[in-house]
Amino acid sequence: MATEMCPMQPEPTLSFTQGLIVGQISVVLLIAAFIKFFIFGDPPSAEVTASIRAAERRSRTLAHRQSLLTLRTTTPNTTRQQQQPTLNKKKSSILRNPPTLTIGSILNKTYYNVDSHQPESLDWFNVLIAQTIAQFRSDAQEDDAILTSLTKALNGTSRPDFLDEIKVTELTLGEDFPIFSNCRIIPVDEDGLSLNNGPGGEKRFDANSSRAKREGSRLQARMDVDLSDMITLALETKIQLNYPRRLTAVLPVALAVSVVRFSGTLSISFIPSNPSQSTPAVMTFSFLDDYRLDFSVRSLVGSRSRLQDVPKIAQLVEARLHRWFDERAVEPRFQEIALPSLWPRKRNTRGGGGDEPLDGPVSSATAAAASGSAGKGKGREIAKELKDEARKEVQAEATAAGARRDLSPPENLRYRRARGRGDGPAATDFNMPGSLPGMGLELPT
């Protein structure tokens, strides 16, 4: 009988209430640890962050270069040229074809040796860039065009639904100017890879190599750029919680982002036009992967109990800005600017004392060109002023000529000769031009 009885189970040491309390305390501790170490934890130093990002960019560049080299080995150059469609256009028989121009011949004719030429300073270029930036800042102060454009771009279709209207509260365009220096010319192939690599890793350029003579090879100017300034953009908005109903909760957020320093290597290339493919001449520019971009991010979250300068927000904003810059202007990606025709045209002529042509009154073509260059409204005003000035000048000349005809007697050759005939010796003497004094001719009367 005793053996058939079930053994007694041990009673739990903690009651339900005690377990609930322990569970709540554990959740609170986890949330506190998350907030302390993840949100308010000290971010890594700027040097460590910059080195990590530089290593990531370098690995990405090396992977892209390796893929290009692999593609070259698998796809011959002749096959790549056959894949490109060509357009056969009729050429003029009057214009003589210039000799084939390669990057080696350009370097020889300009006396530039890429192996021994010293890097150049760009003091004159810095002055021109400084004047351009100063004019840009001055134009931005006169009207709110840049402020309107920024507000429209920030509140475009890409703005998420949980964000309220974004307002620009501060915009500072800086006071200093970028400094360019250490400019040098680097020959590159059609893929942007340097041609300065000789056998055994030696840096030497061979103008007679097949890569240098290949179509698409070009000269690239590389220069160092350094900017230390304070370019600030401050915004404020509200984060809206629209669940379970609209505007359940609203959290005000203010953010100010400043560009503190930028340093890197800028590469500029000129790609000539290709008439067979109807492509215009373009200028491309990009930055190498060794750049350094430092930001200063200030944040303010909340309305009553405010959280100021949350480190995690600063890290997220900086990562997003670096990704945006890498995807647009860091090798292998680049920006492309189409260049206009460099031949002198009359519609592009300016200056010369009121923009008046040298051959007389203003024509309708000149007035149309002036109106097209300065805008439709302003061009019509300029054309009207030029026509009025030309009309006044013609009327003034006509009035002066009529006054001279009224004041002077009607003299002609016959009248002057008849008036010179009279009594006395002066009437019968006639001096030949260029004769000696006292030598005269006596004319019969």
Side-chain angles (χ1 to χ4, degrees), residues 360-393:
V362 179
S363 61
S364 60
T366 307
S371 62
S373 62
K376 295 182 179 180
K378 189 175 181 180
R380 284 193 288 268
E381 295 178 0
I382 295 175
K384 185 177 180 181
E385 292 177 359
L386 294 176
K387 289 181 179 180
D388 293 341
E389 291 180 1
R391 189 180 299 108
K392 290 179 182 178
E393 290 180 0

Side-chain angles (χ1 to χ4, degrees), residues 152-183:
K152 186 180 296 184
L154 293 172
N155 294 281
T157 55
S158 60
R159 179 168 60 91
D161 296 335
F162 61 85
L163 284 182
D164 195 9
E165 181 184 1
I166 302 175
K167 298 179 181 178
V168 179
T169 58
E170 181 184 355
L171 180 61
T172 305
L173 299 178
E175 299 178 355
D176 294 330
F177 304 102
I179 302 299
F180 296 87
S181 61
N182 196 23
C183 180

Side-chain angles (χ1 to χ4, degrees), residues 175-179 226-230 259-263:
E175 299 178 355
D176 294 330
F177 304 102
I179 302 299
D226 189 8
L227 174 63
S228 297
D229 204 349
M230 186 66 70
V259 178
V260 179
R261 183 188 175 187
F262 176 80
S263 61

Side-chain angles (χ1 to χ4, degrees), residues 72 77 80-81 84 100-104 106 186-195 205 209-220 269-274 276-277 279 282 284 334:
R72 285 182 181 180
N77 188 28
R80 286 187 293 173
Q81 291 179 356
Q84 297 177 354
T100 304
L101 198 61
T102 61
I103 59 177
I106 293 177
I186 306 294
V188 296
D189 58 9
E190 67 273 13
D191 295 324
L193 302 180
S194 177
L195 299 177
F205 172 67
S209 63
S210 59
R211 293 179 62 193
K213 294 182 178 180
R214 189 183 300 171
E215 184 180 1
S217 301
R218 60 187 185 273
L219 297 173
Q220 187 179 87
S269 301
F270 175 79
I271 302 178
S273 60
N274 192 347
S276 61
Q277 300 181 5
T279 56
V282 296
T284 64
F334 56 87

Side-chain angles (χ1 to χ4, degrees), residues 2 112 142 162 182 230 283 314 333 337 344 365 430 443:
Y112 194 99
E142 294 184 2
F162 61 85
N182 196 23
M230 186 66 70
M283 184 186 70
R333 296 175 176 87
I337 301 175
F430 181 77
L443 298 176

Side-chain angles (χ1 to χ4, degrees), residues 162-349:
F162 61 85
L163 284 182
D164 195 9
E165 181 184 1
I166 302 175
K167 298 179 181 178
V168 179
T169 58
E170 181 184 355
L171 180 61
T172 305
L173 299 178
E175 299 178 355
D176 294 330
F177 304 102
I179 302 299
F180 296 87
S181 61
N182 196 23
C183 180
R184 60 271 188 197
I185 300 297
I186 306 294
V188 296
D189 58 9
E190 67 273 13
D191 295 324
L193 302 180
S194 177
L195 299 177
N196 260 5
N197 297 327
E202 180 185 358
K203 289 189 175 182
R204 188 182 61 185
F205 172 67
D206 185 9
N208 298 321
S209 63
S210 59
R211 293 179 62 193
K213 294 182 178 180
R214 189 183 300 171
E215 184 180 1
S217 301
R218 60 187 185 273
L219 297 173
Q220 187 179 87
R222 292 184 181 179
M223 61 197 75
D224 298 337
V225 56
D226 189 8
L227 174 63
S228 297
D229 204 349
M230 186 66 70
I231 304 174
T232 306
L233 175 63
L235 311 171
E236 66 176 15
T237 184
K238 295 179 181 178
I239 299 178
Q240 302 173 352
L241 180 61
N242 297 323
Y243 183 83
R245 63 177 186 275
R246 183 174 176 80
L247 298 179
T248 302
V250 176
L251 181 64
V253 176
L255 189 67
V257 182
S258 301
V259 178
V260 179
R261 183 188 175 187
F262 176 80
S263 61
T265 303
L266 173 65
S267 61
I268 302 177
S269 301
F270 175 79
I271 302 178
S273 60
N274 192 347
S276 61
Q277 300 181 5
S278 300
T279 56
V282 296
M283 184 186 70
T284 64
F285 70 91
S286 63
F287 292 92
L288 301 187
D289 55 13
D290 59 349
Y291 76 92
R292 172 84 178 266
L293 181 58
D294 294 338
F295 292 99
S296 174
V297 181
R298 292 172 292 138
S299 60
L300 192 64
V301 181
S303 57
R304 295 182 180 178
S305 299
R306 297 187 175 185
L307 300 177
Q308 186 175 1
D309 298 338
V310 180
K312 194 59 181 178
I313 295 178
Q315 294 180 19
L316 294 175
V317 171
E318 289 187 18
R320 179 58 183 168
L321 292 176
H322 278 92
R323 189 183 307 113
W324 180 89
F325 186 70
D326 291 343
E327 292 175 353
R328 285 162 176 81
V330 179
E331 287 188 345
R333 296 175 176 87
F334 56 87
Q335 291 292 315
E336 185 177 280
I337 301 175
L339 299 178
S341 176
L342 300 180
W343 281 102
R345 299 175 183 270
K346 188 167 185 178
R347 65 170 178 264
N348 298 331
T349 305

